[in-house]
Amino acid sequence: MGTNHTISYRAFYKTGGSFTAFPGLLRVTPIRTESSGGAGPFQFGGATLPSMTLETTLAGPSSGWYRAPVYAEIKVDIDGVTGTWERVFSGVLLRRRPNSDATGYVFEAGGWDQRIARVKVQTPLRVYRHLATETTLTSVEDPDDPGYAGGLLNEVFWRAGGRPYAQISAHPNADWYYACDGTSVAPEFSYVDGENAWSEALALAEAAGGQIYMDSFGIVRYTNPLKLAEEVAPVTIRDTYASGAILYDGRVQEEIDLTTAFNVAVCRFQQRGEQPYQEVYNAPFPCPQLGPLEERELPPLVTQWPVAWREETTGTARYEVIVTATDYTGAPVSVGVSVVSETAQTLVIELTNPLNAPVSINRIVIKGHPVSVVHEGEARYVGPRFDANDDEDVERRLADSFYTQSQPAAERRARMAVMFEGTPRPVYRGLRCPYTPGVTVGGYARFYSSRLGISNLPCVIIAKEVTDDGAMMVLDLASTVGLRKLSELWITGETYADGIQRRLGL
Amino acid sequence: MSALAQYHNAARFVAGTDLHTTNGLATLWDGIRQLDMASLAPRDAFCGHADHRHEFVGQNPLRFWRGGYRYRVGYTTLAVYIHTTSLGTDVTPRLRVTVNGVVRIDATIATGTQLYSATGMASWGLSDGQVAEVAMEIYDGGAPSPSFDESSSRWGTYYLVDAFVGPVSGVDIGEWPGVPEFTTGPDPAKAQQLANAANWLANRLALVPQPLFQRVVSSAELPYWSVDPGDPHMWSGGGVRGPFDRLVAKVVWLAGSAVSQRIRLLVNGSEVDTTATFGAGSWGQDVLVADLSDHSATAVLRAELQLVIITGADAGPGRPTRVSTEYVELQRSSPPFQTITNRPEPDALTTWATRKGHLNAMSSWLQVIKNRIDNDVDRWDRVRLFRSSYAYDLGEADYLKGRYHAVRRARTGRRLIVRGAGGVILGWGAWSARLTEKDDPNSEYEWSWAGQETLISGDQVETKEIWLDTLPGLEYGMQYTVYGGDVRYAGEEPR
């Protein structure tokens, strides 16, 4: 690092429907992004999403910024070569306060979890739907598309306002972007119905195995753990000079945490089954009478269990709505019923009064096929102990998940948990490097350390912190040695010669 | 365990994910074995008649048989096999079969085993899934009625040997997707085709419900046969042999006062197996087996159980033997289960040649099951009619309820469709039978089960669908009983 590095920042926030430059911007404060919020480097679930502060002059926005989308970009010019603007953060503005001498403002922004967590997502009941599907340039991501076959996680992200980063050209002004790996986990029945889409997303990631985090470019990612060791375009991080390598100062801390390690995992499953045709909703009319010829959309009618409203493949309806209505004489009236929307646990209907006189709606009954637990059990996977000196197994009971519905699924989760979460794994912390564009959390690296005697070690960058006003970055790396890789398994759609060896799966 | 319950929809394979998709390949692998088992499952013999073969022997018309079936769009034909060697005296017996009260077959009965059938079921006004009630009468339009001679019936002896509807293959479940051949990799379309083929087979097998067996339960003071030497009829039925090569009947007896007697199994009038001779007051049980392998697959076989009283009772009031016909079942003596290798461990390394071999083997297994379904027309293209209880009104039903139970010997399905009236109970688990009159050993028995559910309580005839998973403790493989009331149809649906 020297005078031949010039660091520039800029930031934009969305106001009036489009992104505009953040007025009066003075400084962007350090940003730390990380891919694991848990105990180990590859803990399944979600990471703590980054935050950012923007320091401005008094020209900073005084209105129109409340919970507005915001992103910041950095540009590094090296040796007179102008760099390109690179996004380093994306999130929502949450707070404005005066700076220390009241000569300007400090705006605090949080990650996209702040937005996603406030979104209520309700999906239809899906059958054998993959929990996440890979986002590509051509993947169908809009859940309302009739041909939608995407994963539930993709659906949560889309409905929370995200758009696929792989299709950024089609969605240039999206508030935020996401990128999903595919997972082969596809429970028999699945759906999302939650007030907090973020926690629903984390539950999906935990069930599928994998992590949700925001990378150093502000993209919310879901990573299939089987891709953690699938090295793509690694950067080289060395403590001695080599052409093309990122040079760090040689100071590194190696850490292995056994306190959260385990070699035995127990996972419970609950098999779901479609139940007999029965009343799934039965309640008095939730609104007053219908006026003459009135059409009225009712508040959602909520069922106790998810309901298989339709045949998954044919779309044929498998329910009926029975409305009991009477006119002022007490004579029954056949009220028109049309269905506005269906999600797994709700039905929104519109009633039409056919009479030019008020009618009383006495009761609404819905019949359908609920889906509930028919069988439950658990699977246990015993992996190798941490080393030859171990004289005991360390067991962890995995959190229950709606999406773990069969013995094979529970076995798989248990095996994955031991391999990725439970197995102790060295993490190399605190590597101070000059800021280098293109380096992001979740990216791959080859690591060298003279002091530790490490050479060309495959790693994943699990944390990145921008320091020194953007001049430096501090990286944490986790070794991926020994991790099971997707390419070691038989992949649907790949071609193989007869002699090729692969594994069936986890 | 049900062979088919887990199949709600075909598993899905997505390009770019590992082949061991949860509930995908693993489920397929396990499911194929279960499909194989299900396609070889035995079936209950058709229930013709119990101890009183024709209920009102002195009547014209003679109430002969009644039962039901669940109509599916695609069925065209109702077929009935009747056997007789004695048409009767001074009568010209005719068979009249009504479906929901409308005459569909009306034909003169001839000697031997004869087929009577009606086609055009699509125009009978039945809706898909509706339970149709079938009643059969033997009548002579020219004979006097009601003063038909009750004391010396002119009727002959008639056996209903088989009755079924079909073809099941006429029910639309979509085209058979065929099975793929894997060559250079686990192509997603082919993997999906494999899953779709398995699901199609599950759907196809599920089209054939299993009507419950109308079990004959011994009861006090059965008056239908004497204690004198003779060979009174206890049960008859049978059916087309189909793919099965043996007929198995389990009987339980509590001997009355006849000095020596035995129970024998006849096929087409010839004795094929018998219990040992047992004496007065003894009790026991036996499984009688008829080897059917000498008969052709299309042969119509009349099975009959008889009590043979060799030496009658000594002096004194006679006490008839009580006999229960627990089940009569058509089986394969050596079901040709496919050699399906064990599901491989997910983490085990294999070559593509091996994996390809496994995938193609799965295709082959599915094709074998498909061929089996196609070839076993009698088993998989026909649905046997359920034999209703023998009562003709609710009063009689109540009287007879301790003697005839509709029984499923081993639950294999998910749903039960029951049509009936007047206090129909589903019972499972441990049972007890208590005398209705505590101090009268000749009174009827009242049955109860550890688990029981009233299905139809009123006198109005209703059709009920019961999802068996909702009944706590009624696991797959357990016996259950539909008891009481007037049960007009009871059939277990695989899915």
Side-chain angles (χ1 to χ4, degrees):
Chain A
M1 187 63 191
T3 54
N4 54 349
H5 277 59
T6 306
I7 311 297
S8 308
Y9 274 110
R10 65 184 187 183
F12 299 85
Y13 77 117
K14 197 170 192 177
T15 184
S18 59
F19 281 99
T20 56
F22 212 89
L25 182 67
L26 294 173
R27 182 191 305 270
V28 176
T29 58
I31 298 162
R32 177 181 169 86
T33 50
E34 58 191 36
S35 59
S36 174
F42 301 135
Q43 180 81 20
F44 295 162
T48 303
L49 264 52
S51 58
M52 175 184 72
T53 57
L54 302 169
E55 195 172 337
T56 69
T57 65
L58 289 173
S62 58
S63 64
W65 62 270
Y66 178 68
R67 297 192 67 81
V70 62
Y71 65 86
E73 292 179 333
I74 190 172
K75 181 164 70 72
V76 182
D77 302 331
I78 302 173
D79 295 334
V81 178
T82 302
T84 55
W85 287 104
E86 179 175 271
R87 194 173 291 199
V88 291
F89 177 85
S90 175
V92 286
L93 291 167
L94 297 174
R95 188 178 185 200
R96 189 188 72 173
R97 56 181 167 81
N99 64 6
S100 56
D101 56 5
T103 58
Y105 298 117
V106 174
F107 288 85
E108 297 176 1
W112 280 107
D113 54 332
Q114 298 291 331
R115 166 74 69 84
I116 300 169
R118 291 188 168 214
V119 175
K120 180 177 183 176
V121 173
Q122 293 177 305
T123 72
L125 191 72
R126 308 290 195 192
V127 178
Y128 284 134
R129 184 60 61 96
H130 292 247
L131 294 187
T133 49
E134 185 174 8
T135 46
T136 67
L137 187 62
T138 57
S139 58
V140 176
E141 296 288 321
D142 183 353
D144 295 326
D145 188 297
Y148 183 70
L152 257 76
L153 187 58
N154 306 55
E155 188 168 355
V156 168
F157 285 163
W158 179 282
R159 294 200 185 280
R163 292 296 178 264
Y165 183 67
Q167 300 170 15
I168 190 170
S169 58
H171 308 284
N173 290 312
D175 288 352
W176 60 282
Y177 295 96
Y178 65 87
C180 290
D181 287 339
T183 172
S184 63
V185 175
E188 187 164 4
F189 297 101
S190 57
Y191 72 105
V192 171
D193 189 336
E195 303 285 341
N196 182 333
W198 181 248
S199 64
E200 298 293 334
L202 300 187
L204 287 164
E206 192 165 352
Q211 299 169 313
I212 295 176
Y213 61 93
M214 198 165 92
D215 73 9
S216 309
F217 307 140
I219 302 163
V220 177
R221 290 188 177 272
Y222 161 71
T223 301
N224 180 344
L226 289 167
K227 286 194 168 181
L228 284 170
E230 293 288 14
E231 194 174 68
V232 178
V235 296
T236 302
I237 301 173
R238 303 182 63 119
D239 54 356
T240 57
Y241 175 78
S243 177
I246 299 171
L247 194 64
Y248 73 101
D249 63 5
R251 287 179 292 177
V252 58
Q253 304 160 2
E254 182 188 21
E255 181 179 316
I256 297 181
D257 184 1
L258 291 184
T259 59
T260 57
F262 55 94
N263 71 315
V264 178
V266 179
C267 181
R268 217 160 72 91
F269 69 91
Q270 287 189 316
Q271 186 185 347
R272 314 270 156 172
E274 207 177 278
Q275 298 303 324
Y277 195 66
Q278 58 187 267
E279 284 184 6
V280 294
Y281 180 90
N282 185 335
F285 187 50
C287 300
Q289 295 175 330
L290 285 183
L293 301 174
E294 182 183 355
E295 293 179 0
R296 188 185 304 168
E297 182 177 310
L298 305 189
L301 309 178
V302 182
T303 60
Q304 182 182 358
W305 300 100
V307 180
W309 301 112
R310 292 179 182 275
E311 286 282 355
E312 174 82 355
T313 48
T314 64
T316 307
R318 305 171 65 211
Y319 65 95
E320 63 180 322
V321 180
I322 302 154
V323 178
T324 309
T326 51
D327 66 11
Y328 74 103
T329 69
V333 175
S334 181
V335 169
V337 180
S338 59
V339 175
V340 177
S341 66
E342 302 159 4
T343 64
Q345 282 193 260
T346 65
L347 204 63
V348 177
I349 62 173
E350 184 179 85
L351 300 184
T352 304
N353 179 3
L355 303 182
N356 196 15
V359 295
S360 297
I361 310 294
N362 305 314
R363 185 162 288 274
I364 296 176
V365 174
I366 304 171
K367 290 184 174 180
H369 291 276
V371 170
S372 62
V373 176
V374 294
H375 175 62
E376 56 189 358
E378 63 182 28
R380 187 167 187 265
Y381 173 72
V382 180
R385 291 177 181 169
F386 307 143
D387 63 42
N389 296 321
D390 284 348
D391 58 1
E392 62 179 8
D393 287 327
V394 180
E395 182 175 298
R396 178 193 279 187
R397 183 166 285 272
L398 304 182
D400 291 348
S401 170
F402 175 89
Y403 305 108
T404 308
Q405 296 175 2
S406 68
Q407 184 83 23
E411 285 172 10
R412 179 191 175 104
R413 253 190 87 189
R415 192 179 288 113
M416 288 182 80
V418 169
M419 283 188 179
F420 291 97
E421 298 180 288
T423 304
R425 190 160 295 282
V427 174
Y428 305 97
R429 297 194 183 281
L431 289 72
R432 281 179 58 82
C433 319
Y435 187 92
T436 308
V439 175
T440 176
V441 158
Y444 300 96
R446 288 284 172 142
F447 177 57
Y448 292 75
S449 169
S450 305
R451 188 168 68 80
L452 299 176
I454 291 172
S455 176
N456 204 28
L457 182 72
C459 293
V460 164
I461 301 167
I462 60 168
K464 172 187 170 186
E465 185 169 346
V466 180
T467 64
D468 300 86
D469 279 345
M472 300 294 289
M473 59 185 184
V474 181
L475 303 176
D476 293 356
L477 309 178
S479 166
T480 60
V481 173
L483 284 180
R484 183 72 76 229
K485 294 189 283 191
L486 192 60
S487 58
E488 294 172 352
L489 313 179
W490 300 111
I491 304 302
T492 311
E494 296 292 315
T495 59
Y496 299 100
D498 279 356
I500 295 289
Q501 282 198 322
R502 296 283 187 272
R503 298 175 197 277
L504 186 56
L506 279 176
Chain B
M1 179 63 188
S2 166
L4 307 172
Q6 65 180 284
Y7 282 103
H8 296 288
N9 280 282
R12 293 178 186 184
F13 293 88
V14 170
T17 59
D18 62 77
L19 183 60
H20 191 56
T21 295
T22 304
N23 290 319
L25 201 62
T27 299
L28 273 178
W29 201 276
D30 295 337
I32 288 171
R33 189 188 296 278
Q34 296 191 346
L35 291 170
D36 192 49
M37 292 165 61
S39 65
L40 294 168
R43 74 167 173 84
D44 290 336
F46 177 76
C47 283
H49 312 277
D51 36 52
H52 48 336
R53 181 172 45 235
H54 27 68
E55 284 81 342
F56 300 101
V57 293
Q59 300 290 317
N60 181 24
L62 176 70
R63 286 175 170 176
F64 180 57
W65 192 94
R66 70 189 189 112
Y69 66 94
R70 187 162 175 258
Y71 172 70
R72 298 302 308 273
V73 170
Y75 290 178
T76 60
T77 305
L78 166 65
V80 172
Y81 278 103
I82 288 181
H83 175 86
T84 181
T85 54
S86 61
L87 289 172
T89 306
D90 296 331
V91 288
T92 303
R94 290 179 67 81
L95 170 69
R96 182 161 57 203
V97 180
T98 61
V99 177
N100 284 352
V102 179
V103 176
R104 298 298 176 188
I105 298 175
D106 191 344
T108 302
I109 294 177
T111 55
T113 302
Q114 303 291 345
L115 169 67
Y116 307 90
S117 63
T119 57
M121 199 178 292
S123 61
W124 292 3
L126 301 170
S127 57
D128 192 43
Q130 179 183 350
V131 174
E133 296 183 18
V134 178
M136 300 189 198
E137 294 176 336
I138 291 173
Y139 78 104
D140 181 344
S145 179
S147 59
F148 209 69
D149 185 354
E150 293 191 24
S151 60
S152 58
S153 171
R154 287 181 283 175
W155 293 122
T157 304
Y158 318 103
Y159 294 90
L160 181 60
V161 181
D162 204 357
F164 53 82
V165 290
V168 176
S169 54
V171 181
D172 182 16
I173 55 168
E175 288 291 312
W176 163 242
V179 290
E181 181 183 358
F182 293 87
T183 53
T184 57
D187 179 87
K190 291 181 177 179
Q192 198 59 58
Q193 186 183 8
L194 196 67
N196 291 344
N199 197 54
W200 190 94
L201 289 173
N203 282 333
R204 178 63 184 81
L205 290 167
L207 286 180
V208 180
Q210 180 68 51
L212 270 59
F213 184 78
Q214 198 59 258
R215 175 185 177 193
V216 182
V217 185
S218 70
S219 184
E221 213 172 10
L222 280 176
Y224 305 114
W225 57 84
S226 73
V227 294
D228 299 327
D231 50 0
H233 166 277
M234 293 192 306
W235 179 92
S236 63
V240 178
R241 180 199 144 180
F244 304 105
D245 57 9
R246 67 179 183 178
L247 183 141
V248 179
K250 183 181 179 184
V251 290
V252 182
W253 66 86
L254 175 58
S257 55
V259 171
S260 67
Q261 51 196 320
R262 64 190 176 96
I263 299 167
R264 66 176 181 173
L265 172 65
L266 301 93
V267 171
N268 288 348
S270 300
E271 180 176 319
V272 292
D273 201 1
T274 179
T275 67
T277 301
F278 49 87
S282 65
W283 65 273
Q285 59 182 348
D286 206 347
V287 174
L288 305 178
V289 179
D291 180 359
L292 308 179
S293 56
D294 287 342
H295 299 275
S296 73
T298 56
V300 183
L301 305 174
R302 176 169 55 92
E304 183 176 358
L305 287 165
Q306 292 178 346
L307 175 69
V308 180
I309 301 175
I310 304 163
T311 307
D314 292 336
R319 184 160 48 83
T321 294
R322 304 177 193 178
V323 180
S324 294
T325 304
E326 294 286 307
Y327 61 84
V328 184
E329 194 172 83
L330 288 155
Q331 302 175 346
R332 298 171 191 255
S333 53
S334 299
F337 297 117
Q338 297 185 76
T339 304
I340 294 174
T341 53
N342 291 330
R343 177 155 55 97
E345 284 299 314
D347 218 25
L349 268 175
T350 56
T351 63
W352 170 241
T354 302
R355 175 59 47 217
K356 179 174 62 176
H358 286 160
L359 290 167
N360 286 329
M362 293 169 80
S363 285
S364 301
W365 298 330
L366 291 171
Q367 189 61 54
V368 167
I369 297 165
K370 170 66 166 56
N371 295 344
R372 183 181 294 149
I373 293 171
D374 288 345
N375 295 331
D376 293 349
V377 172
D378 183 70
R379 179 70 177 93
W380 296 113
D381 212 20
R382 296 169 175 170
V383 176
R384 260 65 203 184
L385 269 57
F386 170 78
R387 205 316 173 194
S388 298
S389 53
Y390 298 89
Y392 279 86
D393 58 55
L394 286 176
E396 191 182 16
D398 192 52
Y399 176 68
L400 291 175
K401 70 180 182 184
R403 300 183 181 181
Y404 307 106
H405 298 167
V407 169
R408 182 79 175 119
R409 190 158 74 91
R411 175 194 165 189
T412 59
R414 280 198 86 193
R415 288 184 298 153
L416 178 68
I417 310 293
V418 174
R419 180 169 176 78
V424 179
I425 288 171
L426 177 65
W428 67 97
W431 55 265
S432 65
R434 293 190 182 86
L435 288 167
T436 49
E437 301 294 333
K438 185 180 167 189
D439 299 324
D440 178 4
N442 290 327
S443 64
E444 293 296 324
Y445 283 103
E446 183 79 32
W447 292 67
S448 62
W449 286 262
Q452 63 181 45
E453 184 95 3
T454 299
L455 304 182
I456 301 165
S457 54
D459 288 348
Q460 185 174 348
V461 178
E462 292 180 76
T463 300
K464 285 283 179 68
E465 176 188 55
I466 303 96
W467 288 58
L468 300 173
D469 283 341
T470 62
L471 304 176
L474 178 50
E475 303 295 341
Y476 288 105
M478 281 180 64
Q479 177 173 299
Y480 62 86
T481 302
V482 174
Y483 170 77
D486 177 14
V487 181
R488 302 182 179 197
Y489 176 77
E492 185 182 276
E493 301 276 335
R495 294 177 77 178

